[in-house]
Each structure stands twice: as C-alpha cells, then as structure tokens.
Amino acid sequence: MSTDTTFGKIINHPQYAELVRRRKRLAWLLAGSTLGVFFSFVLIIAFSPKILAIPVSATGVTTIAVPIGVAMIFFFWILTGIYVRRASRDFDGLTDQIVREALK
Amino acid sequence: MKELPRKFIAGALLVACTGLAFAAPESKGQTANIPAIAMFLLFVGITLGITYWAAKRTKTASDYYAAGGGITGTQNGFAIAGDLLSAATLLGISSLIFAKGYDGFLYCLCLIVAFPMILFIMAERLRNLGKYTFADVTSFRLSQRPVRTTAAISSLTVVIFYLIAQMVGAGQVIKLLFGIEYWIAVVIVGVLMVIYVTFGGMLATTWVQIVKAVLLITGGTIMALLAFAQFGFSFETLASKAVAVHKDGIKILAPGVMFADPVSAVSLALGMVFGTAGLPHILMRFFTVPNAVESRKSAFVATGLMGFFFLMIGLIGLSAVVLVGTNPQYFEGGTIGGKLIGGGNMPSMHLAHAVGGNLLLGFMAAVAFATILAVVSGLALAGASAISHDIYANAIMRGTATEQQEIRVSKTASLGLGILAVILGILFEKHNLAFLSGLTLGIAASANFPVLILSMYWKGLTTRGAVLCGLAGLISALALVVCSKAVWVTVLGNPTALFPYEQPALFSMPLAFFIAWLASVLDNSESAARERDAFEAQDVLAETGYYRNPLAQH
C-alpha cells in the first residue's frame, strides 16, 4: 500500500491547503446563505406573518408570500448551480493535478 | 438459480394481474378504473423487465448495493428526486394546499432546502469516503462494531417507521383508486418491492425510481398546466377565484396557523431539512455514482426537479380549491364543503379527473401506485444494507464474510423487511399515523445527521462520542414524539401531552450534538487518541478522493 506516502505527498503539496481553503469557503458561504435565507423566512412566518400577507399590487389578491416562495426555490437551485459550476471550473483540475503529482 | 428470477418475475406479474383483476369487481362502493389498472400493469411489466435486466448485471456486492457505481449524475438526480417525491408529496402536500393554502407550500420549501445543504457540505465527501452505506463514512476512522451497530439501529428504525407510513398510505390509496381490498393492495406492494430489491438490487431500484420520477413529473406537469389553462395561465385569476370560494378566504395566500408557534415552526423546519439530509435511503444514492463530480451533479439535478415539481404541486393544490372544491360530484352526498369522496388526501386525484377525465385520473392513479412501489423499494434496500453490510459483514463477521455471503444476507433481510412491512401495514390500517413523518425525520435529523456531519468535519469525534450521539438522538427523538400530543393523547388516550410540541428536532438535535462533544472530549483513552490522529488522513481522502484516481489502482 502506497496510501501513507500518497497521503503525505498530498498534504504537503503546496497547493493542497489552498484547494481546501477555497472549497471550504465557497461551500460554507453557500450553505450559510441557504440556511440564512431559509431560517429568516421561517422566523418571519413564526413572529410576524402579517408582513407576508401584504398584496403584491393594490388591485390583486396575490400576496408577496407567493413570489417570495417561488423566488426561494429558484434561489436555492441557482446556488446549487453556482457550486457545481465553480467546483468543476476551479477545483476539479486542481485536485486532479495534486493527486497526479502525489501518485507519481 | 439462473432460472429463478424469471420464474419469480413471471409469478409476480401474475399475482399483480389476478389480484387487480379479480379483486376489483368484488369490493363494494368502488368502481374499478380500467385505464388506471391498464397503466399500472404496464408500469409493473416495465419495472419487472428492468429487474430481469438488472438481475443479470448484478453479481458483486458493489453491483448489489451501489449499482456498480455506474449511475450518472443526471440519472441519480432523477432517482433522488423520486425518493423524496413520494405519494405523501403528491397526495399529501397538494391536499394540504387544498385545505390550508400557503401553509402546505411551506412543506415544499422545507424539503427542498435539504438538497443544497447536502450538496455544499456532504455530497462529495460521502462519495469520497463511503462505499455502500452512510455508516461506511461515520465508522471510517472509528471502531467498526459499535459505530456501525448504532448507525444500523437508527437506520432500521427510520426505515421501518417510514415503511409503515408508506404501506398504510399505499393500502388506503390503492384501495380507493383501484377498488381492491386493503390487504391485497399491501401484499401486492410488498411482493413487488421484495422482487425489485432481491433480484435487481440497487440497479433495478434506481431505474424503477427513475421511470417513476419521469412519469410523476410528466403527469404532474400535464395536470398542473391543464388546470392552469382554465384560468388563462394567470396566477392572479386563479388566486382570486380560489380566495373567493375557499372558506378561509384571503388567508390561504399567506402563512397561517400551522407555523404560528415559533418553537414548532423552527423545530419542524430543522427536522425536515436535516432529517432529509440524514435519511439512509437518500444518502445511499450518493454511492451509486462513480465519483464526486457526478455526486455533485446529482444534487443539482435533484434540486431542480424537486423545485419544478413543487411549483406544479402549488398550482395543483390551488387549482383544486376552485375546480374540485366547488364541484359537488367530488363530495360525499354532493354537499360542497363536506367530506371529499375518498377522504382528505384525494384533491389531486379529483383534479386529475376534473381536468383530464378518466384517462388522466387513471394515469395519475397508476403513478401514485408506482410512486409507492419505488419509494418502498429504496427503503427496503437501505434497511437490508444496514443489516447485511453494517451489522452482518462488518459488526458480526468483522469483514471476513465473502461478497456472496453478504449479498445472500441482504436478500434474506429484504425478504424479512418485506414480510414485516406487510404485517405492520395490515396491523396499522386503522391507526392514526400522523406522527410517523415527524418521527422518522426527527430521528434521522437527531441520530444520523449529527454523527455524519461530526465524523466528516470534527477531528475530536471519538467512537464513544459517535455511539452516544447516535443513541441520544434516537432515544430523545423517540421519547419526545411519544410524549407529544400526536402519540400521548391521540394514540394512547391520555388527557394532556407531556411534551407540548409536535416536532422533536429543535431539542433532540442539539442534545445529540452536545452529547457527542461531551463524550468525545472526556474520552482520554488510547484508541480515542488514535482516532483523532486518523482524522487528517481521512480528511485528505474526503477532499481529494485520491484512491479513485486511475494511477492509484495498483
């Protein structure tokens, strides 16, 4: 098993720490935005739901809760798209390079 | 042995056909829906074909548990969305919207948040660290026996409660839509589930789920658009008509009573988000893709499909308020506002009839049946894997069992789970099982999720911490649900609830995290020190998945 030497080479690779740091920052930023938006919404519902009952226009019945709910679904999906895109653009090549050099 | 799958599959088709054909005319008060039965038999035929095809390709343990890692990200995204879009989603959430308006839609929002979270913090690590079950990840650097046993116990608890809920729902829905006896419906579901899982393993279970997801999303979209067309594709027209006819009027367009209590609202939201991220049959799907890249893609596709479907469900529920809620033919005795024919879960089925006649009703009924089958199969496979991979192969045999022995145990376990599910499904027919969804998600959020996240991110976690964390989450979630109104008062008949809230997660989840921390930091044993030291190597693997690189294969 060359696992131990591979592991050592990876962890000492000059770019490994940068890979980990950048990916963690992106992941926690997006996870924080998701949870932040979602739980703010839950707390608004719990403490002052009246805000969400305001109609979108003076003449209609549709409340702002409707577009906000729909927008949240799109927002979460777009965040997953951003992660997938950023990860394949910024991290996959770098990971592959680090692993290849470590396995040499 | 070679002949066995074919014979069983042929036999199963026969059981399904005769069960439906002969039972249908016998039952009272229900007219059998011919298009529904025809379309359901077509689905069963296709899925048994898939199972036969998958059985020939399922030889190794990796084939059996993880479809050989050969599912693409997009396919897996459909399968994951399919797992979450159960009959409860199609029937239950649309009927909640029908009854309460916007509150029902909030459930959709809670469910969908789980997937971005899984993607950002779990999907790639799961794929890089695990093989077949999530306990592969939690036990990666910890003591195999105790950690896997704890994980298997909570997985099985979740799977069995979830199975009971699905089985009882299945029996009731199928009885109504197909006009067959409750117990026959439960037996058909049980038999087909065992066939898919034992013969076709994960490959069949995944493709059954994909076929169903496509049918469900297509059917739901057609139904939503046909209904929306009646309002000139204007949400404002639909909303104003719904407000005009609903007994709660304008209130249905904003959050109402269901989330009024802050503690319950936060507890429910926590349970749904992190419970979904701790469901064993969902987590298992991340092991069916070849690498972390596909793993990411599956979460992206699943989020998109679910988001789209939830928008359709919103339209379906709100349209039903107008198109079903004002039509006397869908109410018992023709009394508008009285009891819906078939019970509270039926608005979406009545809407299918209202906008697409018997043909669309038949299609949606068949899809509802298919949905139940696909979801219970995924559950049974997750439960069987916990028994065979975690308990048998690793905890009991300590890794010395051959793959064939392990697969045999898994097949026996899925048969056992099938029998158990049928028996429990029949026993619980008349019980009020409303507490089950809160219970399963509460346990998954409190027993599975904390151990999983800590094992991946916290160096300090030790075996003692992981085991006590899992047990604390499991026991506290169970105890809180038993003491809540849904069980203590409704089921056990006591006058007042000991625990004033319905959902346990707000209390049981932090407790599990706290116990994990406390037990780990107090653990000064030598093995604990070794486990902490092993974190760095695990973390490098989690970040890079380097053993999957072709250069590392020798």
Side-chain angles (χ1 to χ4, degrees):
Chain A
M1 278 291 278
S2 62
T3 313
D4 281 334
T5 58
T6 310
F7 150 68
K9 280 183 187 165
I10 291 178
I11 206 161
N12 291 319
H13 193 284
Q15 280 167 303
Y16 176 72
E18 192 207 333
L19 168 74
V20 171
R21 191 176 48 81
R22 282 175 59 196
R23 182 158 52 201
K24 277 207 173 120
R25 199 174 57 194
L26 176 67
W28 290 111
L29 179 73
L30 294 176
S33 318
T34 307
L35 287 185
V37 166
F38 177 67
F39 279 98
S40 311
F41 184 69
V42 170
L43 290 176
I44 291 174
I45 290 170
F47 287 104
S48 69
K50 293 227 155 51
I51 296 175
L52 294 167
I54 299 168
V56 172
S57 72
T59 49
V61 295
T62 308
T63 60
I64 59 167
V66 175
I68 289 176
V70 173
M72 274 170 58
I73 290 185
F74 277 99
F75 177 67
F76 296 140
W77 190 50
I78 290 167
L79 289 191
T80 62
I82 290 174
Y83 184 80
V84 169
R85 217 187 144 92
R86 286 280 309 270
S88 38
R89 197 189 63 197
D90 298 347
F91 306 137
D92 288 348
L94 189 55
T95 310
D96 198 52
Q97 185 201 337
I98 293 171
V99 171
R100 270 170 191 283
E101 286 175 19
L103 286 169
K104 246 183 230 160
Chain B
M1 278 303 277
K2 271 253 144 56
E3 271 298 291
L4 210 57
R6 199 181 309 161
K7 277 187 189 153
F8 261 88
I9 288 167
L13 197 53
L14 209 67
V15 169
C17 290
T18 48
L20 288 171
F22 288 102
E26 282 171 18
S27 62
K28 303 153 279 244
Q30 296 299 337
T31 42
N33 182 327
I34 301 300
I37 292 173
M39 275 179 263
F40 174 69
L41 288 178
L42 184 68
F43 176 80
V44 171
I46 292 170
T47 52
L48 289 175
I50 289 172
T51 308
Y52 179 68
W53 164 81
K56 287 194 295 187
R57 278 159 187 75
T58 299
K59 293 186 180 73
T60 64
S62 161
D63 295 335
Y64 182 78
Y65 291 122
I71 305 291
T72 69
T74 307
Q75 291 163 353
N76 197 37
F78 274 87
I80 292 171
D83 268 327
L84 252 266
L85 301 175
S86 61
T89 323
L90 170 68
L91 304 174
I93 294 187
S94 59
S95 58
L96 261 178
I97 298 174
F98 176 78
K100 308 259 180 206
Y102 197 82
D103 276 354
F105 188 63
L106 289 175
Y107 276 93
C108 298
L109 286 170
C110 292
L111 280 175
I112 203 164
V113 176
F115 284 88
M117 293 311 292
I118 291 177
L119 171 64
F120 304 147
I121 58 180
M122 290 160 74
E124 294 163 293
R125 283 162 185 266
L126 277 173
R127 175 61 291 194
N128 283 342
L129 292 174
K131 256 167 89 185
Y132 310 138
T133 64
F134 82 88
D136 289 340
V137 180
T138 58
S139 69
F140 193 88
R141 65 191 161 94
L142 305 177
S143 176
Q144 296 290 309
R145 256 189 174 179
V147 175
R148 281 191 189 267
T149 310
T150 325
I153 291 170
S154 58
S155 290
L156 282 169
T157 314
V158 169
V159 163
I160 289 170
F161 283 134
Y162 213 123
L163 269 178
I164 297 174
Q166 292 286 328
M167 278 297 192
V168 173
Q172 286 162 351
V173 168
I174 294 164
K175 175 180 162 186
L176 188 88
L177 295 175
F178 291 83
I180 57 179
E181 296 285 340
Y182 176 87
W183 71 270
I184 297 177
V186 171
V187 170
I188 292 176
V189 172
V191 168
L192 288 170
M193 162 182 109
V194 170
I195 289 172
Y196 297 149
V197 174
T198 50
F199 294 112
M202 184 51 109
L203 189 56
T205 309
T206 302
W207 277 101
V208 168
Q209 195 61 271
I210 293 172
V211 169
K212 164 237 137 161
V214 170
L215 290 174
L216 177 62
I217 293 169
T218 312
T221 309
I222 292 173
M223 191 159 101
L225 292 182
L226 283 175
F228 205 24
Q230 304 213 0
F231 303 95
F233 295 103
S234 153
F235 186 83
E236 179 59 32
T237 313
L238 165 60
S240 58
K241 285 194 175 163
V243 165
V245 299
H246 198 283
K247 66 175 166 47
D248 292 340
I250 188 79
K251 284 186 189 154
I252 62 167
L253 291 177
V257 287
M258 275 166 63
F259 290 75
D261 167 41
V263 175
S264 300
V266 173
S267 200
L268 175 71
L270 275 178
M272 288 189 82
V273 174
F274 296 107
T276 305
L279 287 173
H281 64 298
I282 302 278
L283 294 171
M284 209 178 164
R285 293 227 170 271
F286 286 93
F287 304 121
T288 64
V289 290
N291 51 43
V293 178
E294 297 297 312
S295 175
R296 284 197 302 256
K297 207 201 274 168
S298 24
F300 170 71
V301 172
T303 313
L305 288 172
M306 285 172 52
F308 174 76
F309 190 73
F310 288 150
L311 295 179
M312 297 299 122
I313 284 283
L315 286 177
I316 289 170
L318 203 56
S319 306
V321 170
V322 183
L323 301 173
V324 175
T326 59
N327 190 333
Q329 68 163 307
Y330 300 119
F331 289 92
E332 279 181 10
T335 332
I336 290 175
K339 206 168 167 280
L340 270 183
I341 291 173
N345 270 333
M346 286 300 124
S348 55
M349 291 296 135
H350 291 319
L351 182 71
H353 181 261
V355 298
N358 271 331
L359 196 65
L360 189 60
L361 171 65
F363 181 74
M364 290 313 291
V367 168
F369 202 153
T371 294
I372 292 163
L373 274 178
V375 171
V376 293
S377 303
L379 283 167
L381 184 61
S385 311
I387 293 174
S388 59
H389 184 62
D390 295 326
I391 295 183
Y392 170 77
N394 283 295
I396 296 177
M397 300 296 284
R398 292 174 185 271
T400 61
T402 66
E403 289 202 355
Q404 293 312 314
Q405 284 173 319
E406 193 179 329
I407 294 175
R408 205 174 313 132
V409 171
S410 197
K411 291 185 172 184
T412 316
S414 63
L415 180 64
L417 280 172
I419 294 170
L420 186 70
V422 168
I423 293 173
L424 292 175
I426 291 171
L427 279 179
F428 286 105
E429 178 186 354
K430 306 270 184 230
H431 290 72
N432 182 334
L433 298 174
F435 64 92
L436 276 180
S437 67
L439 180 63
T440 45
L441 288 171
I443 293 175
S446 321
N448 295 351
F449 178 76
V451 186
L452 194 54
I453 208 77
L454 289 175
S455 68
M456 290 193 290
Y457 284 97
W458 187 40
K459 183 181 177 183
L461 186 75
T462 67
T463 298
R464 204 180 294 168
V467 169
L468 290 176
C469 172
L471 291 178
L474 175 64
I475 294 168
S476 62
L478 258 175
L480 289 178
V481 171
V482 169
C483 295
S484 74
K485 184 168 165 276
V487 178
W488 197 253
V489 179
T490 314
V491 179
L492 300 173
N494 293 296
T496 48
L498 299 175
F499 174 63
Y501 309 106
E502 295 284 303
Q503 304 292 333
L506 182 60
F507 305 93
S508 51
M509 230 176 106
L511 178 77
F513 275 111
F514 174 72
I515 298 274
W517 171 78
L518 190 68
S520 297
V521 293
L522 292 180
D523 190 350
N524 294 318
S525 63
E526 227 173 90
S527 59
R530 269 201 311 276
E531 287 161 4
R532 291 186 195 107
D533 287 344
F535 180 78
E536 207 171 33
Q538 174 194 310
D539 203 42
V540 168
L541 188 57
E543 292 282 356
T544 60
Y546 63 78
Y547 69 101
R548 285 181 194 285
N549 190 294
L551 290 171
Q553 298 298 322
H554 42 79

